[in-house]
Amino acid sequence: MKDKILEEDLLYIANAGGDYEKLYGKSILITGATGLVGSQIVKALLKMNEVKNADITIYAFVRNAEKADKIYDEFAKDKLVYVIGDVGNPVTDETVTLSNGKKISEVQINYIIHAASPTASKFFVDYPVETIMTAVNGTKNMLDLGKEKQSEGVVYISSMEAFGAPDPEKPYVKEDDLGYIDIHNPRSCYPEGKRLCECMCSSYASEYKLPVRIARLSQTFGAGISYEENRVFAQFAKAAMNKTDIVLHTAGKSVGNYCYTRDAVMGILLLLVKGNDGEAYTVAHPEAHITIGDMAKMVAEKLANNEIKVVFDIPESAMTFGYAPDVNMRLNSDKLQALGWKPVIGLEEMYTRMMKSMEYTR
């Protein structure tokens, strides 16, 4: 059954026009194409082809073609090509296979979006070495590919965790307001890895004149989230849907910053064609910031109509679940908005749209 909420979002992106039309007739490679952000980008581009005859060739970098087929089974695939391989390896004719039978050396790649990354906190704690090496090797390989193909634009998907713990007295945190990260905490493999990859992007822009920009994403969710998703926002949504209490394993004091999936995709696509090379842009709704505890309370009261409550079950060690240290920051996205981006969907609507969308995969 087609997800009508996601369909609305994809049509919204496809009909946006303006700067996004610069992508028409181009070829775009997206890594992490079976992940949340990567798959949403691919679907948006496929929808552009469908309703705007955009003639975009989409190279979806995946490890498993069968898994990708399930994700894109409702879309026309005449302009969708799977690049099957591991981003941890240099991209060559020997390391990747294209589903259209061509060789990677034979095709032009006008744009690259590097969205492949581990996302589970427990994975960061259990496999910190793998987390770091996946980030570093994967990013280097994509930057090298962009350099080789003389791509017109590259976007690296970073994370708000790259901010670390900035000055809590600042009312809003901008791109250069980086704070402390404990480099001897194995959980820091993820934010420190993101910082190193951002530095690598800036270095390629400086030394090789590669037109790469960094999209520093806040927590991103919305339509298209599977019911099987287990990140905190999805756990809260499922608790409201199933009328079960929300269980917090921290005191809930960390301030989260959020962005709706549709808004995030539009920001990323805009950065392919606009922005300063080697620079970072925060992708966050400036009004969608709230403590984890208050967000749980909002879901329980407003979305579950006070039929559930918030329960605290705090383990002795935060490492049990791999959660990041508490952070108090409010992200400022003026830099990206100055390019013409405008986030539309607020936090409560993010949840209502996500919950309606999750019903399709329940």
Side-chain angles (χ1 to χ4, degrees), residues 30-44:
I30 302 98
T31 69
T34 58
L36 170 59
V37 174
S39 66
Q40 296 276 38
I41 294 168
V42 171
K43 289 177 180 179

Side-chain angles (χ1 to χ4, degrees), residues 141-169:
N141 292 332
M142 289 307 114
L143 294 173
D144 282 340
L145 181 64
K147 176 171 167 278
E148 176 191 336
K149 297 293 187 180
Q150 297 183 320
S151 298
E152 299 171 43
V154 179
V155 173
Y156 168 65
I157 306 299
S158 186
S159 164
M160 67 179 184
E161 287 205 33
F163 282 105
D167 185 351
E169 299 301 317

Side-chain angles (χ1 to χ4, degrees), residues 91-237:
V91 183
T92 68
D93 291 339
E94 290 71 39
T95 60
V96 300
T97 303
L98 273 59
S99 61
N100 63 356
K102 293 185 178 181
K103 295 182 177 180
I104 194 69
S105 62
E106 299 173 340
V107 302
Q108 177 57 37
I109 306 292
N110 299 119
Y111 295 101
I112 296 172
I113 299 173
H114 180 36
S117 173
T119 57
S121 287
K122 193 68 167 64
F123 184 91
F124 306 155
V125 172
D126 291 342
Y127 303 101
V129 175
E130 288 80 357
T131 299
I132 292 172
M133 298 315 299
T134 297
V136 173
N137 291 335
T139 302
K140 181 184 186 301
N141 292 332
M142 289 307 114
L143 294 173
D144 282 340
L145 181 64
K147 176 171 167 278
E148 176 191 336
K149 297 293 187 180
Q150 297 183 320
S151 298
E152 299 171 43
V154 179
V155 173
Y156 168 65
I157 306 299
S158 186
S159 164
M160 67 179 184
E161 287 205 33
F163 282 105
D167 185 351
E169 299 301 317
K170 289 195 173 186
Y172 278 95
V173 174
K174 296 184 178 181
E175 284 77 5
D176 292 335
D177 295 327
L178 301 181
Y180 174 75
I181 293 176
D182 179 2
I183 61 173
H184 297 295
N185 180 346
R187 172 60 177 74
S188 298
C189 62
Y190 181 70
E192 199 68 17
K194 289 295 185 182
R195 282 191 178 183
L196 178 54
C197 290
E198 288 195 19
C199 182
M200 206 182 325
C201 290
S202 301
S203 299
Y204 270 71
S206 174
E207 185 171 345
Y208 303 121
K209 310 307 176 190
L210 185 68
V212 54
R213 291 124 208 171
I214 298 149
R216 199 178 288 163
L217 265 60
S218 57
Q219 186 76 270
T220 301
F221 66 86
I225 296 288
S226 168
Y227 187 79
E228 300 303 316
E229 174 63 59
N230 202 41
R231 276 175 275 186
V232 170
F233 53 79
Q235 291 181 31
F236 288 5

Side-chain angles (χ1 to χ4, degrees), residues 144-345:
D144 282 340
L145 181 64
K147 176 171 167 278
E148 176 191 336
K149 297 293 187 180
Q150 297 183 320
S151 298
E152 299 171 43
V154 179
V155 173
Y156 168 65
I157 306 299
S158 186
S159 164
M160 67 179 184
E161 287 205 33
F163 282 105
D167 185 351
E169 299 301 317
K170 289 195 173 186
Y172 278 95
V173 174
K174 296 184 178 181
E175 284 77 5
D176 292 335
D177 295 327
L178 301 181
Y180 174 75
I181 293 176
D182 179 2
I183 61 173
H184 297 295
N185 180 346
R187 172 60 177 74
S188 298
C189 62
Y190 181 70
E192 199 68 17
K194 289 295 185 182
R195 282 191 178 183
L196 178 54
C197 290
E198 288 195 19
C199 182
M200 206 182 325
C201 290
S202 301
S203 299
Y204 270 71
S206 174
E207 185 171 345
Y208 303 121
K209 310 307 176 190
L210 185 68
V212 54
R213 291 124 208 171
I214 298 149
R216 199 178 288 163
L217 265 60
S218 57
Q219 186 76 270
T220 301
F221 66 86
I225 296 288
S226 168
Y227 187 79
E228 300 303 316
E229 174 63 59
N230 202 41
R231 276 175 275 186
V232 170
F233 53 79
Q235 291 181 31
F236 288 5
K238 286 188 279 190
M241 294 164 71
N242 297 326
K243 303 300 188 229
T244 57
D245 291 342
I246 294 174
V247 180
L248 291 184
H249 298 296
T250 71
K253 295 180 180 179
S254 190
V255 176
N257 292 262
Y258 302 92
C259 190
Y260 187 60
T261 41
R262 183 183 80 194
D263 290 332
V265 167
M266 295 184 75
I268 292 164
L269 293 178
L270 184 62
L271 285 175
L272 278 180
V273 296
K274 295 183 78 172
N276 295 326
D277 298 344
E279 293 189 11
Y281 292 80
T282 298
V283 186
H285 192 307
E287 301 304 319
H289 52 78
I290 189 172
T291 67
I292 298 296
D294 285 342
M295 186 166 72
K297 183 179 178 182
M298 178 199 77
V299 172
E301 293 178 354
K302 295 187 177 181
L303 300 171
N305 299 313
N306 277 315
E307 296 179 40
I308 64 175
K309 60 182 182 294
V310 179
V311 178
F312 292 88
D313 179 18
I314 304 174
E316 290 185 11
S317 172
M319 294 290 281
T320 301
F321 294 94
Y323 295 138
D326 285 348
V327 173
N328 179 18
M329 66 176 175
R330 297 180 176 183
L331 298 181
N332 178 300
S333 60
D334 286 354
K335 186 176 179 181
L336 181 56
Q337 293 193 57
L339 298 181
W341 179 73
K342 184 174 177 57
V344 175
I345 305 296

